[in-house]
Amino acid sequence: MRIPVVVVVLCLLVGGVIAQDAPTPQERLKQLEERLAAIEKEAADVRAEIEALKRDLGNGKPPEGVLWTLDMKSDTKGSGAIADIDGDGKPEVVFGSYFGEQHVFCVKGATGDVIWKHKSDAGPLDASIAIDDLDGDGKLEIFTADSSSGHFYDLAADGKLNWKFKLPNSTDSPVAIADLDGDGTKEFVIGSMWEGDGKGAVTCYSAIEHKQLWQQRYRGCVQSEPVLVDLNSDKILDVIVTTWRGDNEVHAINGKDGTALWNFKTAGDSKSMGMYHGVCLSRNQKSIYVTTCQGDVYAIDTKGEQLWHKHFDDYLFAPITCTDVDGDNKEEIVFGGHKLYCLAASDGLELWKHDMKRMLDRGVVVTDVDGDKDMDVLYSDHTNIVARDGKTGEETFRFDATVKGELWEDISSALLVADLDGDGLTEVFFVAGQGTSTDEFKNNYGRAFAVHLKGKGPEWTTFRSNLRRTGNPAHDK
């Protein structure tokens, strides 16, 4: 009788062990999620190896339609700039990078070869690059800012630091540069994020000793690019900025002394995101256009009075552009969020719109992409570069810039257009990749692209088309 008892006991023990080994639903879910993450990582690694093998099989040549690529340790969030900074008659491309890389890159426009890199002090370089001869010595300088520390840098053409100083706080604001008061000395204007009291600043500095000339502070962050325009016909360039997560207002400031000219209140409350990017101007600089994250689009005159208003059920994050996109000698405005919109600038009449795969981040470039001498609207949509005919909105160009295809991969940088290789036709420059501030940046990566277009321009070599940041190529000269 002992044997059956032992068998029963053993069966009970085995059953207990089996019962203890069976995972709970929560444990099973965790196991499956971990397995899926491992599969996704393996798939990303396989895709990367396939791309590498394709490049090797092509004897190191870039894919068809690509002038060059450059692999990086992160992506880019702001915008680079293109200029012949060393005076050799050939363009260079200068751009910042996000966490994990955290350098300013200068590369040869024709080949993508790195000429130099300059490391930031603390964080990513999200504030768009500006290239200009600020001090009038005949040599171009590169201006950028460390988004974390708020250090503003002046770099020489060889990448060496000329000088730096501390802004009121951290910044993503693209600097605007011009001689505001016509005295022969340039000024630069830049925004900064909120401080302890919840207010951000816009500050004007002189090129001489980088002396602060004036400052205004507003509730929220001044992430926007300052836009420079003479609002009251006094031959002084004034400044327009917007606020993000702040007072939902467009602020116009006297460029000479920093006093307020007017404020324009947009729809929204204390929980509204407001305006991350700034305004754009009409060709004659008499109309001002702005979009809000709440989905509102406004046309304003130079006195801050509303001309017209439209609302869209969309998150309109990207900057707005104004120019003649369809060749009828009348201006249109192009902007977007989860859709891309083209409206008549005169009255806001919708001309065409198209869905986005993700969301428009850094605005559009208007140029001849397909070589038919008509303007196209060029923009990034997730990991694709897309162009649409300015008249019809029909697609005229698409380039898939997928690098690894991971969850947060995107094209977060603004597009630049220039003839990089000197063949008379333009290329589009951008950076695709993944840039997050988590996991100690170990999963970040990026790839800079120069992709051939078939048109001859116009070129778009800096964020918002010019250093006055007007968002209208008519003001480039």
Side-chain angles (χ1 to χ4, degrees):
M1 296 300 293
R2 291 179 180 178
I3 294 175
V5 170
V6 171
V7 170
V8 170
V9 171
L10 286 173
C11 289
L12 290 171
L13 288 172
V14 171
V17 171
I18 293 173
Q20 289 175 359
D21 288 345
T24 66
Q26 290 82 3
E27 290 171 338
R28 182 57 177 160
L29 176 60
K30 183 178 179 181
Q31 291 172 356
L32 290 173
E33 288 176 338
E34 290 174 347
R35 182 182 174 191
L36 177 60
I39 292 171
E40 289 177 340
K41 184 179 186 306
E42 183 179 359
D45 292 341
V46 170
R47 279 192 291 269
E49 186 174 353
I50 289 172
E51 291 300 318
L53 286 171
K54 285 181 178 179
R55 290 195 296 273
D56 290 342
L57 289 171
N59 297 319
K61 294 180 181 178
E64 183 179 357
V66 178
L67 176 61
W68 52 261
T69 63
L70 173 66
D71 284 343
M72 305 160 54
K73 297 177 183 177
S74 75
D75 68 350
T76 296
K77 304 299 185 186
S79 172
I82 299 173
D84 176 13
I85 63 172
D86 57 8
D88 67 352
K90 300 176 182 179
E92 287 76 39
V93 186
V94 185
F95 55 98
S97 52
Y98 195 62
F99 283 120
E101 188 75 71
Q102 299 169 220
H103 282 81
V104 178
F105 282 74
C106 177
V107 305
K108 293 182 179 179
T111 65
D113 293 337
V114 177
I115 302 171
W116 52 259
K117 294 196 299 183
H118 182 89
K119 193 178 189 305
S120 73
D121 291 326
L125 295 141
D126 294 346
S128 299
I129 300 287
I131 300 175
D132 193 41
D133 177 11
L134 185 65
D135 55 13
D137 67 354
K139 298 178 182 179
L140 290 177
E141 303 147 76
I142 296 98
F143 302 94
T144 185
D146 182 323
S147 293
S148 295
S149 71
H151 285 151
F152 184 77
Y153 305 107
D154 177 337
L155 304 179
D158 60 3
K160 294 179 181 178
L161 182 68
N162 287 329
W163 49 262
K164 70 177 180 180
F165 70 92
K166 182 75 168 64
L167 297 170
N169 201 4
S170 51
T171 183
D172 283 351
S173 174
V175 64
I177 302 174
D179 179 1
L180 269 63
D181 53 11
D183 66 354
T185 300
K186 290 185 177 180
E187 289 78 31
F188 55 98
V189 188
I190 187 169
S192 52
M193 300 181 196
W194 51 27
E195 300 176 65
D197 61 357
K199 291 183 177 181
V202 55
T203 311
C204 178
Y205 301 90
S206 170
I208 300 175
E209 298 179 349
H210 334 124
K211 179 183 177 181
Q212 179 178 314
L213 301 179
W214 54 258
Q215 183 180 96
Q216 279 279 8
R217 301 178 75 247
Y218 307 108
R219 182 166 59 84
C221 298
V222 182
Q223 304 281 66
S224 71
E225 60 280 8
V227 175
L228 309 182
V229 56
D230 183 0
L231 291 170
N232 49 12
S233 301
D234 64 354
K235 298 183 180 181
I236 302 292
L237 289 177
D238 304 304
V239 180
I240 303 175
V241 294
T242 60
T243 60
W244 186 62
R245 300 176 67 184
D247 60 12
N248 300 306
E249 293 189 5
V250 180
H251 296 274
I253 308 162
N254 187 300
K256 187 173 183 177
D257 58 16
T259 56
L261 293 177
W262 48 259
N263 302 328
F264 179 82
K265 185 74 173 179
T266 67
D269 55 28
S270 60
K271 297 181 180 180
S272 298
M273 299 302 285
M275 295 151 280
Y276 188 93
H277 291 99
V279 307
C280 73
L281 305 177
S282 62
R283 180 169 46 205
N284 64 8
Q285 304 183 57
K286 299 298 183 184
S287 297
I288 301 157
Y289 305 95
V290 67
T291 59
T292 76
C293 294
Q294 291 73 255
D296 292 291
V297 184
Y298 296 92
I300 312 165
D301 67 18
T302 55
K303 296 181 180 179
E305 299 295 328
Q306 180 177 304
L307 300 174
W308 56 259
H309 167 233
K310 299 281 183 178
H311 179 79
F312 297 86
D313 292 327
D314 205 340
Y315 183 79
L316 303 178
F317 175 85
I320 184 171
T321 294
C322 180
T323 190
D324 179 8
V325 304
D326 58 9
D328 65 354
N329 204 32
K330 299 177 183 178
E331 290 187 302
E332 290 76 37
I333 54 173
V334 185
F335 57 92
H338 295 97
K339 295 181 185 291
L340 180 72
Y341 305 88
C342 180
L343 274 57
S346 58
D347 56 9
L349 175 68
E350 186 176 296
L351 302 178
W352 51 259
K353 66 180 178 182
H354 284 277
D355 289 336
M356 299 281 297
K357 191 172 183 179
R358 277 203 183 172
M359 191 177 77
L360 189 66
D361 282 336
R362 306 295 175 185
V364 306
V365 170
V366 179
T367 187
D368 179 10
V369 171
D370 54 7
D372 65 357
K373 299 182 180 180
D374 290 334
M375 293 297 100
D376 302 283
V377 176
L378 184 67
Y379 61 101
S380 62
D381 185 2
H382 188 23
T383 56
N384 282 258
I385 301 297
V386 183
R388 296 192 176 276
D389 182 84
K391 293 179 182 178
T392 66
E394 295 301 311
E395 185 175 307
T396 59
F397 175 85
R398 180 175 290 267
F399 177 82
D400 185 353
T402 301
V403 180
K404 294 183 180 180
E406 295 190 359
L407 179 61
W408 300 110
E409 182 173 315
D410 212 346
I411 301 172
S412 299
S413 61
L415 307 184
L416 300 174
V417 171
D419 179 5
L420 295 177
D421 58 1
D423 68 350
L425 301 178
T426 58
E427 284 76 34
V428 55
F429 169 83
F430 59 94
V431 179
Q434 179 169 278
T436 70
S437 57
T438 59
D439 300 322
E440 297 180 346
F441 330 130
K442 63 184 179 181
N443 293 317
N444 288 356
Y445 60 88
R447 181 171 296 162
F449 287 83
V451 176
H452 292 294
L453 304 178
K454 296 180 180 179
K456 296 184 177 181
E459 296 187 336
W460 193 289
T461 59
T462 195
F463 186 60
R464 312 302 287 127
S465 187
N466 51 68
L467 291 182
R468 288 168 56 195
R469 309 298 189 187
T470 66
N472 191 322
H475 307 142
D476 290 359
K477 302 299 181 181

